[in-house]
């Protein structure tokens, strides 16, 4: 089952993705939870699989992840019967709302906005991009909502896209961009 963290309420319509198994290059399979948060993948051959659960408004987690920064665990399918209690508890996702303006305070559309988070890899501090919303381009008001973020601190960066007309009303590459 897939449930919401805190309330334990079943999450209807959560997407589940399964990759791996004994066949290299096997296509990814998807399913969706029912009204009680239940899901099922049938006809799996014995092997190791990576299972991920996601739902709009919640943090996407791999099986075995307790916190978003951790790695998940593979699911071992033995073929001796159904594998039960492969459950997920999804926490609510956070949202960053940004407004990008030009040097005159006017909104700028078609600017890419990315959230980054500090991580440590082999003891080295790195700024890593975080995948958030499906679209990361500002609208006609110069605004963007980055949603589904895990709790934590983020750095936000904005840069013009190639959709901007050179010399037009939009932002030029050499002009500074600010996110509020």
């Amino acid at each position: 089952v897939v449930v919401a963290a805190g309330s334990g309420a079943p999450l209807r319509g959560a997407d589940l993705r399964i990759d791996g198994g004994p066949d290299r290059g096997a296509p990814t399979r998807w399913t969706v939870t029912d009204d009680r948060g239940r899901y099922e993948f049938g006809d799996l051959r014995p092997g190791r699989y990576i299972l991920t659960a996601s739902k709009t408004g919640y943090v996407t987690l791999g099986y075995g992840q307790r916190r978003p920064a951790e790695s998940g665990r593979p699911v071992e399918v033995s073929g001796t019967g159904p594998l039960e209690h492969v459950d997920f508890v999804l926490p609510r996702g956070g949202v960053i709302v940004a407004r990008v303006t030009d040097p005159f305070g006017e909104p700028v559309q078609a600017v890419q906005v990315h959230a980054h988070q500090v991580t440590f890899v082999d003891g080295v501090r790195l700024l890593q991009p975080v995948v958030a919303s499906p679209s990361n381009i500002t609208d006609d008001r110069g605004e963007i909502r980055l949603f589904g973020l895990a709790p934590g601190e983020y750095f936000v960066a904005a840069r013009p896209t190639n959709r901007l007309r050179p010399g037009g009303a939009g932002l030029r590459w050499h002009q500074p961009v600010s996110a509020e």
Side-chain angles (χ1 to χ4, degrees):
V1 297
V2 180
V3 299
S7 70
L11 291 178
R12 174 182 53 156
D15 295 311
L16 284 107
R17 171 186 172 153
I18 192 164
D19 294 291
D23 302 321
R24 293 199 181 259
T28 297
R29 293 174 55 188
W30 295 85
T31 193
V32 177
T33 57
D34 65 14
D35 289 345
R36 297 191 326 203
R38 296 178 308 170
Y39 70 94
E40 180 179 308
F41 285 101
D43 301 323
L44 293 176
R45 295 181 34 198
R48 293 169 60 108
Y49 293 86
I50 303 299
L51 190 57
T52 307
S54 62
K55 181 167 176 66
T56 301
Y58 291 84
V59 177
T60 298
L61 293 178
Y63 175 71
Q65 268 185 284
R66 295 177 193 205
R67 289 184 281 290
E70 294 178 346
S71 296
R73 294 189 326 253
V75 175
E76 292 282 344
V77 174
S78 65
T80 60
L83 185 60
E84 297 182 6
H85 304 294
V86 183
D87 301 331
F88 289 87
V89 179
L90 299 184
R92 276 273 186 200
V95 175
I96 295 174
V97 178
R99 183 168 189 263
V100 179
T101 60
D102 67 15
F104 305 105
E106 295 294 320
V108 182
Q109 71 179 30
V111 172
Q112 288 183 344
V113 178
H114 297 278
H116 296 76
Q117 205 166 29
V118 174
T119 60
F120 289 89
V121 177
D122 296 327
V124 177
R125 186 178 170 174
L126 298 173
L127 196 57
Q128 297 287 341
V130 176
V131 176
S133 312
S135 173
N136 64 338
I137 306 293
T138 58
D139 63 17
D140 61 325
R141 300 167 297 176
E143 295 180 1
I144 182 79
R145 291 184 81 243
L146 302 173
F147 58 88
L149 297 168
E153 292 185 354
Y154 294 86
F155 293 91
V156 178
R159 69 181 174 135
T161 66
N162 59 4
R163 293 186 201 175
L164 298 173
R165 296 187 318 258
L171 192 65
R172 294 190 180 119
W173 286 96
H174 64 279
Q175 292 177 323
V177 178
S178 63
E180 299 173 350

